[in-house]
Amino acid sequence: MKTSNTLKNHIDIVRRSKIRRQIINTFSVAAIIPIMVLGVFSFMQITKEMNRHYSAQAASDSERVGSILFDVTTSVFTSSEAITADKGCMELFGSRYATETEQGYYGSVSRALETFHDNTAAISSIFIYTDNPYIPSGSCIKSLADYKGQDWY
């Protein structure tokens, strides 16, 4: 009974209100509310689609970067294997650099590093640093007593 009285009161209020107010109320119910509902729905759909798109793009970029890093490290490893596997290179850095054999090793290592640098576009500079004071500094081999002054340290 109370519900029917309340409904009758609302209907009476609408009937007694001016035409202008009725048009505004009808327009609000018929146009603005559906537009707001569609706007919220569209916003949610666009947000979800953008998240999906940018997540896929980030995954793709991550895979591309991983592939590039793998290619560069493989190239560096393969190219530097000739130097790191050479027993003469190891003997050179542990010696006093006095014999012709050690000087030959020095020239061989320097040429290998220069060739590696010239043939690898991903490498801007390459050096071997040693704290052996008997090894002379050259274009690719640097003899340093203290590494702290270097920018990579």
Side-chain angles (χ1 to χ4, degrees), residues 27-78:
F27 177 73
S28 297
V29 171
I32 293 177
I33 292 175
I35 288 173
M36 289 178 62
V37 168
L38 289 174
V40 168
F41 177 74
S42 296
F43 177 77
M44 289 171 46
Q45 286 297 106
I46 288 171
T47 302
K48 187 167 53 171
E49 189 61 35
M50 286 178 67
N51 282 337
R52 186 180 308 128
H53 171 73
Y54 287 116
S55 294
Q57 186 175 1
S60 173
D61 288 347
S62 174
E63 187 175 329
R64 182 180 57 82
V65 167
S67 175
I68 289 170
L69 287 174
F70 177 74
D71 290 345
V72 168
T73 54
T74 302
S75 172
V76 168
F77 178 78
T78 308

Side-chain angles (χ1 to χ4, degrees), residues 110-123:
S110 292
R111 280 190 301 281
L113 287 172
E114 288 169 1
T115 302
F116 178 55
H117 176 261
D118 293 342
N119 294 335
T120 308
I123 305 294

Side-chain angles (χ1 to χ4, degrees), residues 10 19 44 48 67 73-74 80 82 87 95 118 142 146:
H10 286 297
I19 300 259
M44 289 171 46
K48 187 167 53 171
S67 175
T73 54
T74 302
S80 64
K87 298 285 186 206
S95 70
D118 293 342
K142 303 287 184 188
D146 184 24

